[in-house]
Amino acid sequence: MLSKAKMIKENHTALSDFIFIGYSEFKVLQVLLFVVFLLIYVSIVTGNGLIIYITVTDPTLDTPMYFFLKSLSFLEIFYTSVTLPKMLVNFLAQNKNISFVGCATQVYFILFLGGTECFLLAAMAYDRYVAICNPLHYKLIMRKELCLGLVTGSLTVNIPVHIGQIYLLFTLPYCDSHEINNFFCDIPPVLKLACADTFASEVYMVAASAVILILPFCLIFVSYVKIISAILKMSSIEGRKKVFATCSSHLIMVSLFYGSATIVYVSPRSRETLIVNKLLSLFYTILIPMLNPIIYSLRNREVKISLRKLFRRSI
């Protein structure tokens, strides 16, 4: 009896692959979804690539603010490349599967790059705080060494946190059903397939979310409280508008990214929330990286000027 139970557990654990459901029940939509997501991927790479190019080649954009924007654009390209190419293949493939190791790798890099973005957004908020609240000491404080250190720190702080999450998640025994109700591997839909107590993994996920989501958000919140306080003390209305304009793009990105990611990783689990999470996970992993260059180029005077110069040179 014991050996039989052990054999069943081994069969459940030694799962060779997962299958993505996504919207596979709508077979007619698969080609349309492929075209839509291909266009989105091309726009993400092109838009963020343009931001990287102008911040590297235009000397007027050689400032800490645009160094962070360039880093964010690099991050967005890598972030979407973790999920979108596989999604595009699955839209046209008969077998919409991913290996067990491939799924674990995908989850790790989604968490790692997403967590890095949280800290990078916090670093960008700190940069705006120093520029607005301590303008005379801005160049002294925001040296290249500090900017590089903040970006490097954003990357390294995430490495050990998510290794523990992956270990807990992928050492669980998985049941006969291995259909992931999503377009890519993510913690909530994968966790739903486990046929063992997932309490430890859920607690770790909430604790990791507190460190990776809430801590940077608190830093952003404090920075903007001080920024808004400084703006309100300005006597000139034009000055207020100009200063707020430099922060508005960043505030929009923070609101979109944090809003969707917090609902997915911190909200309670239910059938309804899993359906909503499937849509929200697409929002923060794909649509936000697509909106990033649009938001920063439309709401940023220096970026618009640099893009015009680039198009003039091209013509």
Side-chain angles (χ1 to χ4, degrees):
M1 181 70 98
L2 285 171
S3 60
K4 186 179 178 183
K6 187 180 176 184
M7 190 169 68
I8 292 168
K9 186 177 178 182
E10 283 175 355
N11 287 339
H12 286 172
T13 308
L15 190 65
S16 58
D17 56 15
F18 291 106
I19 298 169
F20 295 115
I21 299 176
Y23 290 119
S24 56
E25 63 271 25
F26 305 110
K27 295 192 184 297
V28 240
L29 285 177
Q30 298 305 297
V31 176
L32 177 62
L33 287 170
F34 172 82
V35 173
V36 170
F37 280 89
L38 178 63
L39 290 173
I40 289 171
Y41 189 46
V42 169
S43 69
I44 289 168
V45 174
T46 307
N48 285 288
L50 268 174
I51 295 288
I52 293 165
Y53 181 78
I54 61 171
T55 51
V56 168
T57 57
D58 192 337
T60 60
L61 301 183
D62 186 20
T63 64
M65 177 175 146
Y66 295 107
F67 172 76
F68 290 124
L69 180 56
K70 174 176 62 181
S71 303
L72 182 64
S73 294
F74 266 116
L75 193 68
E76 300 290 33
I77 292 171
F78 285 117
Y79 192 38
T80 49
S81 297
V82 172
T83 55
L84 260 171
K86 181 63 179 171
M87 283 169 60
L88 290 170
V89 170
N90 286 341
F91 283 134
L92 300 181
Q94 196 68 28
N95 299 320
K96 305 176 191 301
N97 62 332
I98 187 169
S99 68
F100 191 78
V101 174
C103 186
T105 305
Q106 196 175 65
V107 173
Y108 178 77
F109 279 103
I110 288 170
L111 296 175
F112 169 65
L113 294 171
T116 301
E117 183 160 344
C118 291
F119 282 95
L120 192 54
L121 289 170
M124 292 172 82
Y126 177 70
D127 170 70
R128 291 299 82 209
Y129 158 72
V130 176
I132 293 162
C133 299
N134 293 292
L136 298 176
H137 299 98
Y138 179 70
K139 288 185 178 179
L140 186 67
I141 296 170
M142 298 305 296
R143 301 183 311 278
K144 283 188 178 180
E145 295 81 8
L146 178 64
C147 295
L148 192 60
L150 287 170
V151 172
T152 308
S154 299
L155 288 163
T156 52
V157 77
N158 280 277
I159 295 170
V161 175
H162 302 305
I163 288 174
Q165 178 69 78
I166 296 301
Y167 174 78
L168 283 173
L169 183 62
F170 287 93
T171 51
L172 287 168
Y174 287 89
C175 303
D176 294 332
S177 173
H178 47 96
E179 294 181 338
I180 296 175
N181 189 16
N182 208 335
F183 294 97
F184 54 86
C185 288
D186 203 1
I187 294 176
V190 172
L191 203 57
K192 198 177 184 317
L193 302 179
C195 51
D197 184 14
T198 60
F199 179 74
S201 194
E202 287 178 8
V203 167
Y204 193 101
M205 182 174 71
V206 173
S209 299
V211 175
I212 301 303
L213 283 171
I214 298 170
L215 178 61
F217 181 78
C218 289
L219 295 172
I220 293 168
F221 180 77
V222 170
S223 296
Y224 274 102
V225 166
K226 291 182 179 292
I227 287 168
I228 292 165
S229 175
I231 291 172
L232 293 174
K233 287 175 185 174
M234 292 178 180
S235 53
S236 164
I237 295 172
E238 273 307 309
R240 287 182 193 177
K241 285 180 182 177
K242 188 178 178 182
V243 170
F244 187 75
T246 64
C247 305
S248 57
S249 303
H250 183 252
L251 272 172
I252 292 168
M253 289 299 295
V254 168
S255 305
L256 293 173
F257 183 81
Y258 271 93
S260 54
T262 302
I263 293 169
V264 171
Y265 291 107
V266 183
S267 65
R269 302 280 166 256
S270 69
R271 181 179 172 79
E272 290 73 24
T273 55
L274 283 170
I275 294 166
V276 172
N277 287 355
K278 180 161 72 169
L279 296 172
L280 283 174
S281 60
L282 280 179
F283 188 77
Y284 71 81
T285 55
I286 293 166
L287 290 180
I288 290 176
M290 183 181 72
L291 293 171
N292 173 47
I294 297 169
I295 290 168
Y296 276 101
S297 60
L298 290 178
R299 302 187 65 86
N300 192 299
R301 186 172 167 273
E302 287 83 3
V303 171
K304 283 194 280 189
I305 291 168
S306 188
L307 284 170
R308 283 195 205 105
K309 283 194 274 185
L310 174 64
F311 288 133
R312 283 195 200 110
R313 286 201 303 270
S314 302
I315 292 167

